[in-house]
């Protein structure tokens, strides 16, 4: 009975975070949603089937006197231990773990990814700030021989992470290879404006600060931008890049 109930709750929890909400995006890439829904349905169905079978079991008389004590002990202690398996499942319903934030970003020293080929980037508009992911900004800053970011206003979204260097902070976004377990931070150094509190999601408008990154191993430092405006925003449904 306890195992079937745990499976039912687990399947329900998976369906809650994947089919009925976008909470699953805190843990995996969007492409995993169909697989999560399918897994949740299977686990939920197996759990319900097990409960139905338990309820339909015919009544059996109590065991003989010689085994009665042993049976009662198993009944008394076994289910109590099994019910502890429900705690992680109940936690998913009551306490939804958030997406990775500044705590993970500060403690991850993974070098930032190599920039994409310059031809993968489009032409930036001159009459308005160009909205782009942090990964594209980093790629243009490091790998674009045409220096397309020069004198172009850009608009980036991420969460704030403090810096040990005075007068700057990091605009950050975690990037996934597969799931939150292998996430690593993308960072852009922000200059010219006070740092928001850690984990505050903001939209930063500014310009790239040209730096001779070709003299440094790519990935060892974060590119810099001088901000002209910072606006607090709601965390996106898809918090990772």
């Amino acid at each position: 009975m306890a195992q079937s109930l745990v499976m039912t709750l687990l399947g329900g929890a998976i369906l809650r975070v994947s089919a009925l909400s976008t909470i699953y995006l805190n843990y995996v890439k969007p492409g995993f949603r169909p697989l999560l829904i399918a897994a949740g349905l299977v686990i939920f169905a197996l759990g319900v089937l097990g409960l139905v079978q338990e309820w339909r079991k015919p009544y059996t008389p109590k065991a003989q006197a010689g085994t009665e004590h042993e049976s009662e002990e198993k009944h008394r202690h076994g289910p109590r231990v099994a019910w502890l398996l429900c705690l992680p499942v109940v936690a998913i319903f009551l306490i939804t773990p958030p997406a990775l934030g500044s705590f993970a970003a500060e403690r991850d020293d993974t070098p930032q990814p190599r920039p994409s080929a310059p031809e993968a980037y489009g032409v930036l508009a001159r009459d308005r700030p160009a909205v782009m992911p942090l990964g594209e900004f980093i790629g243009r800053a490091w790998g674009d021989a045409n220096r397309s970011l020069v004198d172009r206003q850009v608009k980036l979204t991420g969460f704030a992470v403090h810096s040990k260097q005075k007068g700057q902070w990091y605009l950050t976004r975690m990037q996934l290879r597969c799931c939150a377990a292998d996430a690593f931070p993308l960072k852009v150094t922000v200059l010219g404006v006070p740092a928001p509190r850690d984990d505050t999601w903001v939209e930063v408008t500014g310009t790239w600060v040209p730096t001779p990154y070709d003299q440094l191993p790519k990935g060892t430092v974060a590119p810099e931008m001088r901000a002209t405006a910072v606006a607090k925003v709601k965390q996106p449904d898809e918090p990772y890049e």
Side-chain angles (χ1 to χ4, degrees):
M1 175 71 79
Q3 291 178 343
S4 298
L5 183 57
V6 170
M7 290 185 67
T8 303
L9 292 174
L10 179 59
I14 295 174
L15 291 174
R16 173 180 177 266
V17 301
S18 59
L20 304 179
S21 71
T22 58
I23 296 174
Y24 76 99
L25 292 172
N26 288 349
Y27 321 120
V28 296
K29 287 186 172 183
F32 284 90
R33 188 175 199 178
L35 298 176
L36 286 173
I37 293 175
L41 288 172
V42 170
I43 295 173
F44 184 81
L46 290 175
V48 171
L49 181 61
L51 290 175
V52 171
Q53 289 177 341
E54 288 288 338
W55 288 330
R56 289 183 175 179
K57 277 185 178 180
Y59 172 77
T60 55
K62 290 185 178 181
Q64 295 291 331
T67 59
E68 185 174 353
H69 180 71
E70 180 181 353
S71 176
E72 289 180 355
E73 286 298 313
K74 288 181 179 179
H75 181 74
R76 184 181 301 117
H77 298 291
R80 290 181 182 176
V81 175
W83 282 113
L84 294 177
L85 298 174
C86 294
L87 294 179
V89 179
V90 173
I92 295 177
F93 282 100
L94 300 180
I95 308 171
T96 303
L100 298 177
S102 61
F103 182 85
E106 286 182 64
R107 286 155 181 79
D108 193 325
D109 296 326
T110 303
Q112 305 213 55
R114 298 286 179 175
S116 303
E119 57 268 19
Y121 304 128
V123 178
L124 297 181
R126 290 179 174 271
D127 58 341
R128 63 185 184 278
V131 179
M132 66 179 67
L134 262 67
E136 179 179 340
F137 182 87
I138 294 169
R140 287 180 183 269
W142 280 344
D144 189 356
N146 296 323
R147 297 165 65 86
S148 57
L149 288 176
V150 173
D151 298 328
R152 294 289 193 279
Q153 279 210 326
V154 297
K155 187 175 290 186
L156 308 176
T157 300
F159 58 86
V161 176
H162 73 273
S163 171
K164 296 179 181 179
Q165 300 293 326
K166 188 176 181 180
Q168 68 178 43
W169 51 280
Y170 295 116
L171 185 67
T172 309
R173 200 84 176 250
M174 303 297 287
Q175 187 172 77
L176 302 184
R177 294 186 179 92
C178 172
C179 60
D182 59 23
F184 58 92
L186 300 174
K187 295 181 180 180
V188 172
T189 302
V190 181
L191 308 172
V193 292
R197 294 183 61 181
D198 278 4
D199 292 312
T200 302
W201 280 84
V202 292
E203 185 180 73
V204 181
T205 303
T207 55
W208 174 50
V209 178
T211 308
Y213 294 116
D214 55 341
Q215 300 176 11
L216 298 169
K218 287 183 172 65
T220 58
V221 294
E224 298 176 351
M225 73 177 298
R226 187 165 299 279
T228 56
V230 177
K232 186 176 179 180
V233 296
K234 183 181 177 181
Q235 176 182 304
D237 289 337
E238 187 176 344
Y240 303 118
E241 283 196 10

